[in-house]
Amino acid sequence: DLVSTIGFGTGTAVDERVREDRSTVPTDAGDHERFSHFVDKEKLTEAMVMGLPIHDMVFRFERVRLADGEAVAFEKACIPQAVLPSMDLVQGSLYDALDKVGMRPVRGTQRMRAVAATAKDASILQCAMGAPLMCVERLCFGPDQACVEFTETRYLGSAYDFLTDLVDQPPATNISENT
């Protein structure tokens, strides 16, 4: 289900909030068939990527990015409850809420890849199922280097251009080698 729509370039807006309890997962890792019935692929991916125990609570946020009133991207963000103690802190911008608790991301890793639009993507982005989308996954860390956010954003290729500036910088000098 869609959570909200917001204007292009504005903060995260949230209408519906989801709190995911993963504590019903069996601990018998050898029982793969039973395990797969309790935890879907998305939950397992989040736990593995963020380095969280499968039973940790997380908050999920979804938003649609608009340009000229048209949906151009669909984003899902996952935030550990240990980082954001209450969803009530999110009143508009997710990053403003992370700021309030001193956990605004200070660094991250991002991966870009092509994916085919799922039925949900197609419905939200008004494109054909299977249409090519640019998927950007981002893993962000807070001041204490703990994982604070995992996002996946699916962009319509026809609506976005990505531009990267490349700069040649001399290698950093190790001070201990010069003394």
Side-chain angles (χ1 to χ4, degrees):
D1 294 311
L2 287 182
V3 174
S4 64
T5 57
I6 61 171
F8 184 75
T10 61
T12 302
V14 178
D15 291 336
E16 180 180 324
R17 297 166 181 197
V18 178
R19 180 178 170 161
E20 185 66 41
D21 182 358
R22 301 176 182 187
S23 62
T24 59
V25 177
T27 57
D28 181 8
D31 188 358
H32 299 293
E33 184 64 30
R34 188 169 144 225
F35 189 77
S36 67
H37 289 291
F38 283 91
V39 181
D40 65 36
K41 184 179 176 184
E42 184 175 49
K43 292 176 194 172
L44 284 174
T45 300
E46 289 168 354
M48 288 172 46
V49 168
M50 297 177 80
L52 299 174
I54 196 71
H55 64 273
D56 276 14
M57 300 292 284
V58 300
F59 297 121
R60 287 198 182 119
F61 301 87
E62 294 182 345
R63 74 174 175 174
V64 174
R65 292 180 179 262
L66 303 175
D68 297 327
E70 300 291 322
V72 294
F74 174 52
E75 182 173 86
K76 296 183 282 186
C78 181
I79 312 293
Q81 184 181 16
V83 170
L84 188 67
S86 171
M87 294 185 81
D88 294 333
L89 293 171
V90 181
Q91 298 299 315
S93 167
L94 178 56
Y95 276 29
D96 284 349
L98 291 173
D99 257 341
K100 289 178 191 173
V101 296
M103 294 303 283
R104 186 179 184 94
V106 296
R107 72 174 184 89
T109 301
Q110 190 164 279
R111 174 174 88 157
M112 299 171 68
R113 62 191 173 97
V115 297
T118 64
K120 184 174 183 176
D121 296 331
S123 173
I124 293 168
L125 298 173
Q126 299 299 297
C127 64
M129 193 166 138
L133 302 176
M134 175 61 72
C135 178
V136 177
E137 295 170 319
R138 185 176 58 244
L139 186 61
C140 292
F141 301 88
D144 64 354
Q145 299 308 306
C147 183
V148 297
E149 176 190 42
F150 174 62
T151 63
E152 179 186 280
T153 308
R154 293 170 173 245
Y155 297 89
L156 280 175
S158 60
Y160 273 88
D161 259 345
F162 289 91
L163 175 67
T164 303
D165 287 330
L166 304 174
V167 178
D168 184 23
Q169 295 181 351
T173 303
N174 188 334
I175 295 173
S176 63
E177 289 178 4
N178 294 333
T179 57

